[in-house]
Amino acid sequence: MMRLPWFEYRAPRSVDEVARILAGEGPNAMLVAGGTDLLPNMKRRHQAPSTLVGLRAVEDLKTIANGAGLRLGAGLTLAQLVASPAVRAQYTGLWQAASQVATPHLRNMGTLGGNVCLDTRCTYYNQNYEWRKAIDFCMKKDGEVCWVATASKRCVAVSSTDTAPALIALGAKVRLVSAAGEREVAIADLYNNDGIDYLTRRPDEILTAVLLPDAAGWTSTYWKLRRRGAFDFPVLGVAAAARLAADGTVAEARIALGAVSSQPFLTKGGEFLAGRRLTDEVIAEAGRMVASRAKPMDNTDFDVYWRKEVVAEFTAYALKELRGDDMDAVRLRLARRALQA
Ligand SMILES: Cc1cc2nc3c(=O)[nH]c(=O)nc-3n(C[C@H](O)[C@H](O)[C@H](O)COP(=O)(O)OP(=O)(O)OC[C@H]3O[C@@H](n4cnc5c(N)ncnc54)[C@H](O)[C@@H]3O)c2cc1C
Ligand code: SF4
């Protein structure tokens, strides 16, 4: 049985108190929300913080507020997000992403903040201590070499959060609070293309909320590739959002990719679509353009070349859904195919 290492547990009740603890403890402390990723990681000795700062008693992090857009507290569970009629109706891409994270049990515990700040993943890293020791560890933890790209000076572990690409496509921001002050950043800027230093969040900052802009006139969607339809981390996530004029011309669009790099990122596909109608030819061209930006590495499930190839296909599914096509049959076919894989 894998055991947790020893740590001190703090249970603050306000954001101010969390910020004070982080300022005092420095990088030795880590935040824990639902613990669905961090605690298994600690058992595998990926992280061994001397202090864990629990966020479950911080009620301010658990609110949903309507305004010009929607403010989602970072401590909301994914199940709460999925149960929100406002999220489902206005931010469908986020709803689809959140409802495909892990399993119902894990969505009952896992939070939005924890999902956005999820550690990157890799076949050579998500293993127990003894397994990793047997290969002399790797650059991400305790070792020197990257076993995926031995000449690389950078860890290429994969960003595996489902909600982040959806939030990037929706144009969301995040609020970061520390004892020194607070700031808002576009969620795309929260990420570095580095499997180790994957967040631009400072260790003394707490992510308190996700801020979604007004969604009037926008539609959005999220398409996830994974082996098992019941639950699995994404090996590709395509998120798209668009505002269409009455004649079907794209006024504005964003297409973001997840799980094909160490960071979720915005592609040029949205800019290409602006001013065009979503014809089959335009969709196919956008798919090719988006696929050219995907750089999957051979450190997660499925064949790496096939994963790059299907990016165009998944982008086309997403855009056809935004155009108004009924894509239920395709979603069902994918789920069935995944079950047989
Ligand atoms: C079997 C299994 C399957 C899974 N499948 C998926 C999947 O399909 N898709 C997916 O996206 N995830 C998946 N996960 C990962 C995880 O369950 C979810 O990402 C979940 O949303 C993480 O949230 P949490 O609150 O449990 O995070 P925690 O484990 O508590 O924290 C995760 C990280 O975020 C940091 N953090 C948490 N809250 C904050 C905050 N407010 N401010 C700053 N940092 C913070 C923590 O310090 C930690 O580094 C899976 C996990 C398991 C065990
Ligand atoms: S990508 Fe390389 S350094 Fe990063 S976790 Fe995998 S093997 Fe380790």
Side-chain angles (χ1 to χ4, degrees):
M1 187 172 71
M2 289 192 292
R3 291 180 188 280
L4 283 168
W6 288 102
F7 57 87
E8 185 188 346
Y9 185 71
R10 308 282 295 270
R13 305 185 80 84
S14 70
V15 172
D16 280 355
E17 207 184 330
V18 178
R20 274 200 305 277
I21 296 171
L22 291 184
E25 297 281 341
N28 296 329
M30 280 189 81
L31 300 173
V32 62
T36 61
D37 194 61
L38 181 59
L39 297 180
N41 279 359
M42 286 174 64
K43 288 184 177 176
R44 293 186 290 249
R45 302 303 187 264
H46 293 144
Q47 285 99 24
S50 55
T51 304
L52 269 191
V53 186
L55 298 178
R56 294 187 73 188
V58 185
E59 293 300 323
D60 277 359
L61 297 178
K62 300 179 186 172
T63 54
I64 299 188
N66 268 303
L70 207 58
R71 180 194 180 282
L72 300 171
L76 288 164
T77 64
L78 297 168
Q80 286 168 325
L81 273 197
V82 172
S84 159
V87 172
R88 185 168 193 167
Q90 296 165 44
Y91 304 97
T92 312
L94 174 60
W95 183 86
Q96 287 167 332
S99 60
Q100 291 181 76
V101 171
T103 63
H105 303 79
L106 289 160
R107 291 195 294 275
N108 280 337
M109 291 299 293
T111 64
L112 177 61
N115 193 248
V116 164
C117 296
L118 188 67
D119 194 8
T120 53
R121 297 179 59 81
C122 172
T123 323
Y124 296 90
Y125 171 71
N126 294 98
Q127 305 289 349
N128 66 32
Y129 184 84
E130 287 69 27
W131 193 104
R132 292 188 296 113
K133 189 176 175 197
I135 60 160
D136 202 16
F137 304 102
C138 78
M139 197 196 290
K140 184 158 161 74
K141 183 74 174 101
D142 301 323
E144 307 283 319
V145 177
C146 171
W147 296 113
V148 179
T150 43
S152 177
K153 294 204 166 17
R154 180 174 67 80
C155 161
V156 292
V158 189
S159 168
S160 303
T161 149
D162 277 303
T163 62
L167 290 167
I168 291 174
L170 288 165
K173 291 181 178 174
V174 291
R175 177 163 293 158
L176 296 159
V177 176
S178 71
E182 37 181 288
R183 60 186 178 122
E184 278 176 19
V185 296
I187 189 161
D189 296 334
L190 182 66
Y191 300 100
N192 287 321
N193 193 14
D194 184 321
I196 297 172
D197 187 18
Y198 62 97
L199 290 178
T200 58
R201 164 192 168 260
R202 298 193 313 261
D204 67 333
E205 286 179 318
I206 164 172
L207 193 155
T208 57
V210 170
L211 311 166
L212 288 159
D214 189 354
W218 285 82
T219 52
S220 58
T221 185
Y222 179 71
W223 283 74
K224 171 173 179 170
L225 174 67
R226 57 181 165 180
R227 185 173 291 274
R228 294 169 294 187
F231 81 103
D232 249 331
F233 281 92
V235 288
L236 165 67
V238 178
R243 191 163 60 78
L244 303 182
D247 67 351
T249 308
V250 176
E252 250 183 292
R254 295 186 207 97
I255 304 174
L257 290 180
V260 286
S261 158
S262 297
Q263 62 179 163
F265 62 93
L266 196 62
T267 69
K268 299 267 183 218
E271 286 165 36
F272 165 76
L273 292 177
R276 293 182 157 91
R277 290 168 70 91
L278 291 174
T279 60
D280 285 351
E281 294 71 29
V282 166
I283 286 176
E285 184 55 34
R288 280 191 289 274
M289 186 179 280
V290 171
S292 72
R293 297 299 314 282
K295 306 267 186 286
M297 300 297 290
D298 198 6
N299 56 354
T300 181
D301 199 4
F302 288 129
D303 176 84
V304 66
Y305 301 105
W306 181 76
R307 279 173 56 214
K308 185 167 169 72
E309 245 174 71
V310 290
V311 177
E313 201 180 338
F314 270 59
T315 305
Y317 294 153
L319 295 179
K320 285 180 182 171
E321 191 161 41
L322 294 187
R323 179 173 75 178
D325 292 15
D326 181 354
M327 299 300 287
D328 285 355
V330 181
R331 282 196 189 271
L332 196 64
R333 181 163 53 80
L334 283 176
R336 285 209 183 113
R337 198 166 65 186
L339 276 178
Q340 288 157 8

